[in-house]
Amino acid sequence: MTALTLSTSAAPGLRADAIVIGVAKGAKGPVVAPGAEAVDTAYDGKLAAILETLGASGAEGELTKLPAPAGFKAPLVIAVGLGTEPGPDTEFEAEALRRAAGVAARALSGAKKAAFALPVADAAAVGAIGEGVLLGAYSFDTYKDNGAGTGNSLKAKNGRAPLAEGVLLGGKPRDAVHKAALARATAVSEELNRARDLVNTPPNDLTPAAFAAIAQGAAKEHGLKIQVLDDKALAKDGYGGILGVGGGSAATPRLVKLSYTHADADKHLAFVGKGITYDSGGISLKPAGHNETMKCDMSGAAAVFAAVVTAARLGLPVNVTGWLALAENMPSGSAVRPGDVLRMYSGKTVEVLNTDAEGRLVLADALWAASAEQPDAIVDVATLTGAMMLALGSRTFGIMSNDDAFRSAVHEAAEEVGEPAWPMPLPEHLRKGMESPTADIANMGERMGGGLVAGLFLREFVGEGITWAHLDIAGPAFNEGGAFGYTPKGGTGSAVRTLVRLAELTAEGELG
């Protein structure tokens, strides 16, 4: 993991492999952003003109390298685009700083030390830049050969290790607020990167039992309470949804309850995550071309796991319980079949019309278990439907809720931390499509609005009077395209920062 430090040193005298500065898109061309004044002076005030000559415009994601001026102890200056220059008396948005830092950190693989001379107007900027550096420097290469015949997680795809140290210039190392912002950024980013690791781990290694064991290790490390129900315990207690989905696999299912409590807490949040460690579709087998990335179908559980651990690391005065519904959905002689009826943990019966609509089945059991503790609110997270990807694309997750105000609060929290999201409705007329002649409800309804149908199904398993929201992260959970900003190819850690922010807002008394 990349180390982060704060420094008030001047850029020219700092020993580093590179100095990172910001450049914005101004009305008449590129504009050197605050924080890079010393660098601009060393170029005789002509840095913006030099960058323009090199083709830089200041557009978001743009990166330009140039030799450092004479007298600098760093050999390289990297100018990274921040997007449109803000107006007078307006600062750069945190997300612009986060993305710019991420772009630079990705380009600095192999470097031992880089100084980030980006705009630092306040502690929020310190946190945003810190997150961008740590998230952008991420790489997953556990299964790559380092040349000696063994995998090496420190090696990047180009054979170079991630950036070793990022120094945030303008951050005050003795300022308690700046130090706290950096500590928060470190905790959030490290746990989000652990969620990415989980999503990227091949399903032959990340079985439900293996995921549960990782959670047990984290619980011991951070003083969390943990309960793991294996297939025998699930059968004894009547978790028909999780058992039904996991019944076709030799890798038996698990339900993990991970609890963080604080002595001063008076609110309780429950996070529920879909943890299908591999989704073949079951008997309703996915077509060719749709199986290869299905290791990512446990992204919701990874996000919940990371959020609970982060809450513990930050010492938030709020109780947070994470429920990880873990199963592998495989076709076999013991797999659930279309037409089967499952009796869920709630006692309701579900007719399974499509075994590839399995995520809602494991979540239903976990939602009911979470409801039994009467938390102040429940938020579930899942790569649930392709329909949500069709509606919102690959970078935005959908938010549904049984409470409009809570849905808005979740949306605001997501936008605040830089996770694109959009509020979605739960149209009552779509509930009729899930009526079953043989069971209380079917696991499928109308094809049109399929993401909303899934949300309506989940709502059936939330305890009466409990505030609930559903995050469908099917689009942004796994990036099949090229890396951008601080987002890598592969697992992204989607929703981790939203969940952490919800926990913080609850602890601060601003939510619920």
Side-chain angles (χ1 to χ4, degrees):
M1 174 63 72
T2 303
L4 286 182
T5 55
L6 301 172
S7 176
T8 55
S9 299
L14 191 68
R15 294 187 182 277
D17 295 294
I19 306 293
V20 178
I21 65 169
V23 55
K25 193 172 184 178
K28 297 181 180 180
V31 177
V32 177
E37 291 85 357
V39 180
D40 189 26
T41 298
Y43 283 105
D44 297 325
K46 298 178 180 179
L47 180 53
I50 294 172
L51 289 169
E52 187 171 24
T53 300
L54 293 173
S57 67
E60 181 185 311
E62 186 179 75
L63 186 141
T64 307
K65 297 181 180 180
L66 61 163
F72 270 54
K73 292 183 178 179
L76 181 69
V77 170
I78 296 179
V80 62
L82 289 164
T84 303
E85 180 185 23
D89 302 319
T90 305
E91 306 297 342
F92 286 94
E93 292 185 357
E95 182 63 5
L97 298 174
R98 195 180 288 116
R99 290 178 180 174
V103 169
R106 284 196 291 109
L108 284 162
S109 61
K112 292 183 178 179
K113 185 176 182 179
F116 289 77
L118 296 172
V120 177
D122 52 23
V126 170
I129 296 168
E131 283 185 18
V133 173
L134 294 178
L135 298 178
Y138 172 84
S139 68
F140 181 77
D141 296 281
T142 303
Y143 296 85
K144 294 282 188 178
D145 190 341
N146 66 3
T150 58
N152 186 338
S153 61
L154 295 180
K155 296 291 184 180
K157 291 177 182 177
N158 57 9
R160 298 183 295 178
L163 172 65
E165 181 184 357
V167 181
L168 276 58
L169 301 184
K172 302 172 183 177
R174 296 185 180 181
D175 186 301
V177 179
H178 281 204
K179 288 169 64 177
L182 197 68
R184 180 191 183 278
T186 300
V188 171
S189 300
E190 286 182 352
E191 295 310 323
L192 190 152
N193 282 339
R194 174 151 54 173
R196 289 172 169 178
D197 283 348
L198 287 167
V199 176
N200 289 326
T201 299
N204 57 320
D205 280 351
L206 192 72
T207 61
F211 196 153
I214 290 170
Q216 288 174 316
K220 184 177 181 180
E221 179 183 359
H222 297 288
L224 304 172
K225 292 183 179 179
I226 189 168
Q227 179 184 21
V228 178
L229 300 183
D230 62 13
D231 54 321
K232 293 180 180 178
L234 291 168
K236 179 181 178 182
D237 292 343
Y239 287 90
I242 298 175
L243 285 169
V245 172
S249 174
T252 54
R254 299 288 188 276
L255 177 62
V256 177
K257 176 186 175 184
L258 194 63
S259 303
Y260 162 69
T261 57
H262 192 284
D264 298 328
D266 58 6
K267 294 288 185 180
H268 177 200
L269 287 179
F271 297 150
V272 177
K274 174 187 173 182
I276 303 299
T277 57
Y278 182 73
D279 182 19
S280 70
I283 297 297
S284 306
L285 194 67
K286 292 180 183 291
H290 289 75
N291 279 300
E292 291 78 4
T293 60
M294 281 300 102
K295 64 181 181 180
C296 79
D297 214 18
M298 37 58 66
S299 296
V304 166
F305 167 62
V308 176
V309 175
T310 303
R313 290 184 59 173
L314 296 177
L316 300 180
V318 58
N319 296 332
V320 184
T321 304
W323 298 83
L324 317 180
L326 309 176
E328 185 177 65
N329 187 25
M330 296 289 284
S332 75
S334 59
V336 66
R337 296 153 292 212
D340 282 355
V341 173
L342 302 177
R343 185 169 294 279
M344 312 297 282
Y345 182 56
S346 68
K348 285 187 178 181
T349 55
V350 176
E351 182 181 13
V352 179
L353 299 180
N354 186 331
T355 65
D356 196 23
E358 85 298 330
R360 65 199 71 183
L361 298 175
V362 300
L363 285 174
D365 276 355
L367 283 168
W368 193 255
S371 296
E373 297 190 340
Q374 291 293 308
D376 293 285
I378 298 175
V379 181
D380 77 72
V381 188
T383 47
L384 205 60
T385 65
M388 197 55 58
M389 295 179 68
L390 292 174
L392 298 178
S394 61
R395 297 190 185 184
T396 305
F397 63 74
I399 307 170
M400 285 156 262
S401 179
N402 60 3
D403 182 292
D404 289 346
F406 188 62
R407 182 184 62 188
S408 296
V410 174
H411 182 215
E412 289 172 8
E415 294 292 330
E416 181 182 348
V417 299
E419 294 197 304
W422 197 251
M424 302 293 282
L426 288 173
E428 293 297 335
H429 71 274
L430 291 177
R431 172 61 179 85
K432 183 176 177 62
M434 289 184 285
E435 292 182 358
S436 165
T438 56
D440 295 321
I441 191 172
N443 78 327
M444 294 291 289
E446 293 183 27
R447 179 172 176 270
M448 299 301 176
L452 312 182
V453 170
L456 286 165
F457 179 91
L458 294 178
R459 191 183 65 178
E460 297 280 324
F461 297 90
V462 176
E464 185 176 354
I466 298 176
T467 301
W468 157 80
H470 161 56
L471 313 185
D472 190 336
I473 62 171
F478 196 83
N479 176 25
E480 296 188 61
F484 60 93
Y486 52 84
T487 302
K489 185 177 178 66
T492 65
S494 178
V496 172
R497 288 177 294 145
T498 297
L499 295 180
V500 172
R501 188 62 188 136
L502 289 173
E504 289 175 325
L505 290 169
T506 302
E508 295 163 6
E510 296 182 22
L511 190 68

